[in-house]
Amino acid sequence: MVPEAREVSKRRCCCGGSTEPGAIPCPECPDPVSPCAAPQYRIELSVGNILPDSAGKGALQVSTHVLECMRGTCGRTEYRRKALALSVLSLGVCEVGDMCDAMVDQDGPYADGKHNIEWAGCNSPFLPQLDPPDPATVEDIQTGAVTITEVYSQLYWNPATCFWTNAVPPGIANDCRSYVRVEFTYTDSFTYKFFDDFGPPDPCQSIDQTFTFTRTWVCYYSRRNGAGQYTALGTYRLVRCEYPPAVNTLAPTGGSTAPCTLGGGVVCAADGLTYIGSIPTLWQPPASITVTRTC
């Protein structure tokens, strides 16, 4: 459950008062609530316009040789389908202008998706339940780029690791939390031209190659449990997000395939409750999600 170690940027609360309930110990699983066999919870999440970043305005880093038309300045910008590839042998038989004209240069397509999930009982809808019904899932509709992967309650926040733990950390009072983990995943695939010397009778030829990549934001939303709530109800704020690296592009100067690069990272709220605000990527995940009680 704990992600791999990465550089973490912790942010303190800078805004007004919180609507969170006060800190309490984690409660026991509640008795069945009529007319349901167990408490019933729901999350509805729909997100659009997901687009990763390119690390610069040059073509993507796919070629063994680079023309000046393929280079561009470095700096975070929206991802583009911009690609061309050639061998050094092609320079003896192909016109540079013709190859540059064949370069793909298009806006990257946006991604969207939704995930609605409703479950009954205590614990996570993705784990065996401690009370009936079993399985717990009442509805699970997932499409596209948005996937709820974890719903956990009965946890405590450990500021030393900027993550949740099953046990109360030393020196920290009981402060029961719930969190929801969401993955926002972008995948794209397109074809571009590769030029080479293919020999007589027509040595300058091109073939299609494919560029495919995936970028994922892993975001955690959290809230304190209220009195009698096995799973916290209400607005969960974005308190931790692992954001992806930009797509490498060709730098304006340097070696033949010198790239522009921008790494990924983690932004995390020091208290595990405060909205982290904007993250370094141009696309921003939702600031909050809501967990409701349907029964």
Side-chain angles (χ1 to χ4, degrees):
M1 182 174 69
V2 179
E4 61 182 297
R6 307 173 76 179
E7 182 178 352
V8 179
S9 172
K10 296 184 181 180
R11 298 185 179 176
R12 298 180 180 274
C13 178
C14 62
C15 307
S18 171
T19 59
E20 293 284 341
I24 61 170
C26 287
E28 297 295 325
C29 182
D31 293 333
V33 179
S34 180
C36 300
Q40 198 157 305
Y41 306 94
R42 184 174 183 84
I43 303 172
E44 295 184 358
L45 182 59
S46 180
V47 178
N49 297 323
I50 301 172
L51 189 67
D53 300 336
S54 288
K57 294 185 177 181
L60 303 177
Q61 188 189 15
V62 296
S63 183
T64 57
H65 193 78
V66 178
L67 304 175
E68 285 304 308
C69 66
M70 300 161 65
R71 294 191 177 277
T73 57
C74 295
R76 193 177 297 276
T77 185
E78 288 190 335
Y79 161 68
R80 288 186 65 80
R81 288 176 166 178
K82 187 173 183 179
L84 173 67
L86 60 145
S87 74
V88 68
L89 297 177
S90 68
L91 295 176
V93 295
C94 298
E95 293 291 336
V96 170
D98 291 342
M99 290 189 286
C100 288
D101 288 343
M103 180 166 58
V104 176
D105 191 357
Q106 305 168 345
D107 291 339
Y110 291 106
D112 56 35
K114 73 172 185 178
H115 198 168
N116 296 344
I117 186 166
E118 187 168 328
W119 71 100
C122 298
N123 291 333
S124 166
F126 304 102
L127 293 174
Q129 300 298 292
L130 297 181
D131 57 273
D134 188 11
T137 303
V138 178
E139 178 182 286
D140 188 356
I141 300 175
Q142 187 279 328
T143 60
V146 178
T147 307
I148 299 169
T149 60
E150 296 176 4
V151 180
Y152 279 107
S153 48
Q154 308 292 288
L155 297 174
Y156 298 92
W157 181 252
N158 187 343
T161 60
C162 226
F163 209 78
W164 296 265
T165 178
N166 292 317
V168 181
I172 298 177
N174 286 353
D175 191 354
C176 193
R177 312 281 180 92
S178 298
Y179 80 75
V180 178
R181 182 183 187 271
V182 184
E183 292 186 1
F184 303 97
T185 302
Y186 183 95
T187 298
D188 189 33
S189 181
F190 69 93
T191 59
Y192 60 93
K193 298 296 183 181
F194 170 75
F195 285 86
D196 203 353
D197 181 354
F198 288 87
D202 189 6
C204 180
Q205 295 288 330
S206 67
I207 59 174
D208 286 340
Q209 293 190 334
T210 301
F211 180 79
T212 301
F213 77 102
T214 298
R215 292 292 184 272
T216 301
W217 291 256
V218 180
C219 297
Y220 296 82
Y221 298 82
S222 188
R223 182 177 175 85
R224 276 187 174 128
N225 291 43
Q229 296 178 359
Y230 191 88
T231 297
L233 297 174
T235 299
Y236 286 51
R237 297 182 181 89
L238 176 62
V239 299
R240 178 185 173 98
C241 190
E242 302 161 15
Y243 59 91
V247 184
N248 289 358
T249 59
L250 295 170
T253 59
S256 62
T257 56
C260 301
T261 61
L262 288 169
V266 182
V267 180
C268 184
D271 63 0
L273 292 172
T274 305
Y275 170 50
I276 60 175
S278 62
I279 62 175
T281 57
L282 296 177
W283 180 79
Q284 298 292 306
S288 64
I289 62 174
T290 302
V291 177
T292 59
R293 180 82 169 265
T294 61
C295 193

